[in-house]
Short mmCIF file of all heavy atoms in Angstrom, two decimals:
data_model
loop_
_atom_site.label_atom_id
_atom_site.label_comp_id
_atom_site.label_asym_id
_atom_site.label_seq_id
_atom_site.Cartn_x
_atom_site.Cartn_y
_atom_site.Cartn_z
N TRP S 284 7.64 23.76 15.78
CA TRP S 284 7.49 22.45 15.10
C TRP S 284 7.36 22.63 13.59
O TRP S 284 7.64 21.69 12.84
CB TRP S 284 6.29 21.72 15.66
CG TRP S 284 4.94 22.10 15.14
CD1 TRP S 284 4.12 23.11 15.64
CD2 TRP S 284 4.19 21.48 14.08
NE1 TRP S 284 2.97 23.15 14.90
CE2 TRP S 284 2.97 22.18 13.94
CE3 TRP S 284 4.45 20.44 13.18
CZ2 TRP S 284 2.01 21.85 12.99
CZ3 TRP S 284 3.51 20.10 12.22
CH2 TRP S 284 2.30 20.79 12.14
N PHE S 330 9.55 16.03 12.30
CA PHE S 330 8.98 16.91 11.23
C PHE S 330 10.09 17.87 10.74
O PHE S 330 10.23 18.07 9.58
CB PHE S 330 7.89 17.77 11.82
CG PHE S 330 6.53 17.12 11.87
CD1 PHE S 330 5.91 16.83 13.07
CD2 PHE S 330 5.80 16.84 10.66
CE1 PHE S 330 4.64 16.29 13.11
CE2 PHE S 330 4.55 16.33 10.70
CZ PHE S 330 3.95 16.04 11.94
N ASP S 392 -0.06 12.82 15.99
CA ASP S 392 0.92 13.45 15.11
C ASP S 392 2.32 12.79 15.21
O ASP S 392 3.11 12.78 14.28
CB ASP S 392 1.10 14.98 15.44
CG ASP S 392 -0.19 15.63 15.88
OD1 ASP S 392 -1.05 14.94 16.47
OD2 ASP S 392 -0.30 16.86 15.75
N GLN S 454 -6.49 19.77 20.05
CA GLN S 454 -6.77 20.61 18.92
C GLN S 454 -8.09 20.29 18.24
O GLN S 454 -8.47 20.95 17.27
CB GLN S 454 -5.61 20.55 17.92
CG GLN S 454 -4.37 21.24 18.47
CD GLN S 454 -3.09 21.01 17.66
OE1 GLN S 454 -2.13 20.43 18.14
NE2 GLN S 454 -3.12 21.41 16.38
N TRP S 462 -10.72 14.89 14.96
CA TRP S 462 -10.00 16.08 14.47
C TRP S 462 -9.39 15.73 13.11
O TRP S 462 -8.67 14.73 12.99
CB TRP S 462 -8.94 16.45 15.52
CG TRP S 462 -8.01 17.53 15.09
CD1 TRP S 462 -8.31 18.75 14.65
CD2 TRP S 462 -6.57 17.51 15.17
NE1 TRP S 462 -7.19 19.49 14.41
CE2 TRP S 462 -6.09 18.77 14.69
CE3 TRP S 462 -5.62 16.54 15.58
CZ2 TRP S 462 -4.76 19.09 14.65
CZ3 TRP S 462 -4.29 16.86 15.52
CH2 TRP S 462 -3.82 18.13 15.04
N ARG S 464 -6.98 16.87 11.02
CA ARG S 464 -5.54 16.67 10.80
C ARG S 464 -5.03 15.46 11.53
O ARG S 464 -4.09 14.80 11.10
CB ARG S 464 -4.77 17.93 11.08
CG ARG S 464 -3.40 17.89 10.37
CD ARG S 464 -2.68 19.24 10.22
NE ARG S 464 -2.59 19.98 11.42
CZ ARG S 464 -3.25 21.05 11.81
NH1 ARG S 464 -4.16 21.54 10.96
NH2 ARG S 464 -3.10 21.65 12.94
N TRP S 468 -2.71 12.66 9.90
CA TRP S 468 -1.42 12.16 10.41
C TRP S 468 -1.45 10.66 10.54
O TRP S 468 -0.48 9.92 10.29
CB TRP S 468 -1.03 12.82 11.71
CG TRP S 468 -0.80 14.29 11.76
CD1 TRP S 468 -1.20 15.16 12.76
CD2 TRP S 468 -0.07 15.11 10.82
NE1 TRP S 468 -0.78 16.44 12.50
CE2 TRP S 468 -0.08 16.44 11.35
CE3 TRP S 468 0.66 14.86 9.67
CZ2 TRP S 468 0.58 17.50 10.65
CZ3 TRP S 468 1.25 15.88 8.95
CH2 TRP S 468 1.26 17.21 9.49
N GLY S 577 -4.95 25.99 12.20
CA GLY S 577 -3.89 25.50 13.09
C GLY S 577 -4.53 24.77 14.26
O GLY S 577 -4.60 23.58 14.34
N TYR S 591 2.83 24.14 6.26
CA TYR S 591 2.80 22.70 6.05
C TYR S 591 1.69 22.31 5.07
O TYR S 591 1.78 21.23 4.44
CB TYR S 591 2.71 21.91 7.37
CG TYR S 591 1.74 22.41 8.41
CD1 TYR S 591 0.46 21.79 8.58
CD2 TYR S 591 2.05 23.44 9.28
CE1 TYR S 591 -0.38 22.20 9.53
CE2 TYR S 591 1.15 23.83 10.24
CZ TYR S 591 -0.02 23.21 10.37
OH TYR S 591 -0.89 23.63 11.36
N1 LIG O 399 1.46 18.65 14.86
C1 LIG O 399 0.66 19.76 15.22
C2 LIG O 399 -0.51 19.96 14.35
O1 LIG O 399 -0.81 19.16 13.48
O2 LIG O 399 -1.14 21.01 14.50
#
Side-chain angles (χ1 to χ4, degrees):
W284 82 274
F330 276 113
D392 325 28
Q454 289 168 242
W462 174 50
R464 200 162 52 254
W468 295 140
Y591 45 99

